[in-house]
Amino acid sequence: MRSLLLFLLIVPNLLAQDRKVDATWLHRYVPGLREHAGSLAFWTCHYKPIFGEGDTDNRILRTVTRFGEATVDAHGSCQTAPYDREEEIYFVLQGNGALHYGEQTYAMHANDFTYLPPGVKHAMENSSEKVLRVLIMAFRIPPSISIHAAMPRPQIVNLDDLKEETVEGHPTSVLYKLLVGPRSGKRDAIDQAYVVTSLFWMNFAPGGTNFPHHHETAEEIYLVLDGAGEMVAGSGQDGIEGRYPAKAGDAYYFRPNCTVGFYNQNKPGAEAHILAVRSRIPLPADAD
């Protein structure tokens, strides 16, 4: 009788675990996250995982392998990291540093960003007395995609040097800066990516929105750089979009086909800026 009772208590719990449904979106508040001793960590380099490697929910990500923030102490450095089938994007959030690319070194400053192709040995070093903070984004390249020879030197662009523009089919209440796009493209500041379809910066006018939408074959990440508003993430069974208060430091990951969008505060002078990255998910032919 006791064995039967234990069976009735334990089995339903096991079945409930098996029926666990993966989240359609994830939220992280970056200032509240802890450091992780991952592949990038070094004595003077501290990596804070936001999504992907080092995060507890990393198994639901498809193409994104790493999205996090590295903080490098004064005159410190991160470990050298070559990835054969991953592409990376570095965006300097704060400070001045030096990018080691192959055997060469290139200066990087606040708001600089660059694309790092697969197979190239690279690392970041802090060349100043102040803290260096770098946003690191990495994406898995399916084996079916042919990888070309890497550029001999990285293309480094500063966000402030790009013009704001509207994007066809999108509300004019949002201005964009197009940072990184695919190798076949010609509209972005850097067109070298294999699976990243767009890294872009959004400037929302008071009351502005990019209209909630979804991407069936892509996953996306939004990072609120400043301002506040409402993030749209998924929807209920009644079709009403899910809105959540969002402020600087909030990061959201959206699975393919998940509703995504943002509404800025509708009051005079309200500003909000979001850095977003989108990558295509592997197609059936791209599977390992």
Side-chain angles (χ1 to χ4, degrees), residues 11 23 36 45 49 51 61 63 80 94 115-116 126 138 161 188 199 274 279:
V11 170
H36 175 73
C45 180
F51 302 114
L61 276 61
T63 298
T80 302
Q94 175 187 347
Y115 171 84
L116 300 165
N126 188 347
D161 294 333
D188 301 87
L199 172 69
I274 290 178
S279 59

Side-chain angles (χ1 to χ4, degrees), residues 215-235:
H215 303 279
E216 294 183 0
T217 59
E219 53 189 349
E220 195 161 9
I221 294 174
Y222 278 19
L223 174 63
V224 182
L225 298 177
D226 56 54
E230 289 185 311
M231 189 70 68
V232 177
S235 59

Side-chain angles (χ1 to χ4, degrees), residues 158-214:
N158 191 276
L159 178 71
D160 298 335
D161 294 333
L162 302 182
K163 293 182 178 180
E164 293 182 333
E165 59 185 289
T166 57
V167 174
E168 184 178 356
H170 293 70
T172 58
S173 61
V174 183
L175 295 177
Y176 294 79
K177 290 187 178 183
L178 306 176
L179 283 59
V180 178
R183 296 172 59 85
S184 58
K186 294 181 179 180
R187 70 171 193 172
D188 301 87
I190 301 176
D191 292 309
Q192 297 183 24
Y194 291 92
V195 295
V196 172
T197 59
S198 187
L199 172 69
F200 54 102
W201 178 91
M202 294 182 283
N203 178 10
F204 291 81
T209 178
N210 57 345
F211 284 158
H213 57 283
H214 67 276

Side-chain angles (χ1 to χ4, degrees), residues 63 65 83-88 115-118 139-147 193-196 280 282 286 288:
T63 298
T65 58
Y83 300 101
D84 291 335
R85 297 205 66 87
E86 285 187 14
E87 58 185 357
E88 285 192 302
Y115 171 84
L116 300 165
F139 308 85
R140 183 181 300 108
I141 301 174
S144 65
I145 295 179
S146 298
I147 294 177
Y194 291 92
V195 295
V196 172
R280 74 177 182 88
D286 297 331
D288 292 327

Side-chain angles (χ1 to χ4, degrees), residues 26-30 33 49-51 55-57 249-253:
L26 300 172
H27 166 254
R28 302 286 184 264
Y29 180 56
V30 179
L33 297 177
I50 303 173
F51 302 114
D55 179 60
T56 55
D57 292 309
D250 279 332
Y252 279 78
Y253 163 83

Side-chain angles (χ1 to χ4, degrees), residues 37-118:
S39 58
L40 296 172
F42 201 52
W43 290 110
T44 54
C45 180
H46 317 280
Y47 181 69
K48 182 185 294 185
I50 303 173
F51 302 114
E53 182 182 279
D55 179 60
T56 55
D57 292 309
N58 59 18
R59 70 187 184 91
I60 76 170
L61 276 61
R62 301 282 297 278
T63 298
V64 178
T65 58
R66 200 174 307 104
F67 186 94
E69 180 182 304
T71 300
V72 190
D73 298 339
H75 299 290
S77 62
C78 296
Q79 291 195 57
T80 302
Y83 300 101
D84 291 335
R85 297 205 66 87
E86 285 187 14
E87 58 185 357
E88 285 192 302
I89 298 173
Y90 281 7
F91 187 101
V92 179
L93 297 169
Q94 175 187 347
N96 300 309
L99 170 68
H100 297 285
Y101 182 95
E103 302 303 321
Q104 302 298 318
T105 301
Y106 303 88
M108 292 191 72
H109 310 283
N111 287 339
D112 277 351
F113 59 93
T114 190
Y115 171 84
L116 300 165

